[in-house]
Amino acid sequence: MDRLPAALERAGNEESWAVADAISTVLKDSEELHSWRRHLLSACIKGLVAMYSSSKDESKREVERSMLLRLEELLCVVGEVDPDDWCNLVKTGLKYRYRDETFLKVLNVAIQLLYKKESSLSQ
């Protein structure tokens, strides 16, 4: 469980997310769930950045789409993100996927969520 988030950060490691989902299900009523989801959110962001950087030709559209939807779901649950991770995602995403409709929709949702007045990123 401790090593899984690092494995999830690598581009093209979609099978490991099934294990992460299983762990999330087991932790459903646990106090560790929020911390676990924060680790998953960070891994998801780093995985997307790695995917965008290594696959500039947009060859893995469906994998990216599922990762973006996972990112949106985790953002809604966790409600906060590491500022460095966020900056890297926005910068890399806009550089390589500025025409991707799914990326732009998730980015818009994330901006609405993260830049509320009570959010630490809004400062």
Side-chain angles (χ1 to χ4, degrees):
M1 189 169 138
D2 294 333
R3 289 181 263 156
L4 187 60
L8 296 172
E9 292 174 12
R10 291 188 294 266
N13 204 1
E14 303 81 43
E15 298 84 20
S16 297
W17 282 99
V19 176
D21 291 339
I23 292 171
S24 295
T25 302
V26 170
L27 294 176
K28 186 173 74 170
D29 296 324
S30 170
E31 293 176 9
E32 295 178 57
L33 183 60
H34 186 72
S35 174
W36 173 247
R37 285 180 172 161
R38 290 186 71 195
H39 289 298
L40 291 181
L41 177 60
S42 179
C44 185
I45 290 173
K46 290 175 182 172
L48 280 167
V49 169
M51 234 183 281
Y52 291 161
S53 298
S54 68
S55 178
K56 298 171 183 87
D57 62 355
E58 303 176 32
S59 62
K60 293 187 173 185
R61 284 281 219 189
E62 198 52 44
V63 174
E64 288 179 11
R65 181 172 157 32
S66 75
M67 289 290 288
L68 284 166
L69 296 176
R70 182 179 300 277
L71 172 69
E72 182 178 2
E73 177 186 323
L74 287 167
L75 278 171
C76 289
V77 174
V78 175
E80 59 184 308
V81 67
D82 178 78
D84 291 333
D85 288 348
W86 174 245
C87 182
N88 287 336
L89 176 67
V90 171
K91 187 171 90 172
T92 308
L94 289 175
K95 183 175 182 179
Y96 297 115
R97 299 297 188 267
Y98 61 92
R99 291 187 208 158
D100 183 12
E101 184 178 345
T102 306
F103 170 75
L104 294 173
K105 283 182 180 178
V106 172
L107 182 63
N108 185 39
V109 168
I111 288 171
Q112 299 301 317
L113 208 108
L114 295 172
Y115 289 92
K116 296 183 286 191
K117 281 190 176 189
E118 58 273 4
S119 171
S120 62
L121 282 177
S122 67
Q123 298 169 4

